[in-house]
Amino acid sequence: MTVNKQSLLAPAEVRAIVAAAGRAPSVHNTQPWAIAWDGVAFLITADTSRGLTITDRDGRELVISCGAALYSLRLALRKCGLDSHVVLMPTDDPRQLARVVPWRGLPASAAERRMFAAIARRHTHRGQFDDRPVNAELAVWLQQAAGEEGAALLYLTHPGQRAHVLHLAGAAERELAQDPRVRDEITAWTPAPSERRQDGVPSWAYARPDSLVSADELPARDFDLGRDIAQMQEPSRTSGTLAVLATEGDNAEDWLQAGQALQRLLVTAAQHSVFAAIHSQAIELPHTRSELRRELCTAATPQLLLRFGYAAVPTVPSVTPRRTTDDVLTI
Ligand SMILES: Cc1cc2nc3c(=O)[nH]c(=O)nc-3n(C[C@H](O)[C@H](O)[C@H](O)COP(=O)(O)O)c2cc1C
């Protein structure tokens, strides 16, 4: 592979690519990535100082988040007409997650441009969904998107299975919400409206926990914790299409694949005004995760629980804050 160091990427392009990568979803909006560009390759490193040491002890969700940023970085390169060679876990240092070497490819297709544009529209949707189920054709495309990245999207359509998974998710949320260390961690990543933070989940993005949550709804994570700071008026009353994102194994490479699959399917969905809520509680606890796996009757390992649905583009701000490119990028 020949790489022309001089002309491949101008500094402004590097910055734009890193800014696009930084729009990825991340657990509690921790944005736990650092990106370096040495003129030949991007290196994505886990910023472990941003990890959730109680909720995400082994760094699984941290690495999934970085995987989502990696997919966006690859898509941003395609937008510039560049292909990329990606090596996951390129060194013995477990914090170094991916090395991405771009090289000249075909100009971006219209479909790739649409995908890239959807990076800015994608957001985690915790509010109301329309009643209609996700279109069957789109549901297949989302599975294909996950499959292209080495993961699987499993829909929970059987009523009994769905009811059991919702029960597990509820049990997990209740158990986590009672753990004072988990509560402290959530508090640290949910700044009050007066704080001007570039990370964390802003108070307009979630509602107070819904005491009327029905057996057919996936319980939202309680980000408010009785502080009465939540600003979203209406919690979701429609559970939407439920699915589990799963991988074959459960090591850092699998987590990176899960993250890339997550972002690929989310930007695919966003092009069709379909958004997702991400629910990870049932997978954060080993016992509910094992039970979920048994319920799915598959050898695959569950990584995230997702709820999809149609949602109008919100009139309130839907863009959660991000760290500046200078904070993330080293050249
Ligand atoms: C691995 C992972 C786990 C997540 N878990 C949850 C969750 O349990 N509950 C939730 O409401 N959002 C969850 N999210 C969504 C993040 O809170 C969201 O991506 C972040 O706040 C940034 O907002 P945005 O997605 O709208 O850009 C998760 C995201 C990722 C990548």
Side-chain angles (χ1 to χ4, degrees), residues 23-29 61 64-65 122-124 126 200-202 221 223 262 278-281 284 304 318 320 322:
R23 294 276 354 134
S26 60
V27 62
H28 293 8
N29 200 18
E61 292 181 80
I64 292 178
S65 306
R122 180 220 62 82
H123 60 272
T124 301
R126 299 187 186 86
V201 186
R221 200 189 284 271
F223 286 123
L262 173 71
I278 306 177
H279 297 255
S280 39
Q281 303 98 310
E284 285 162 1
L304 289 173
S318 63
T320 47
R322 289 297 185 273

Side-chain angles (χ1 to χ4, degrees), residues 45-65:
T45 304
D47 182 344
T48 49
S49 69
R50 299 181 154 269
L52 305 177
T53 51
I54 303 298
T55 316
D56 184 32
R57 232 174 264 270
D58 53 7
R60 186 183 62 86
E61 292 181 80
L62 180 152
V63 175
I64 292 178
S65 306

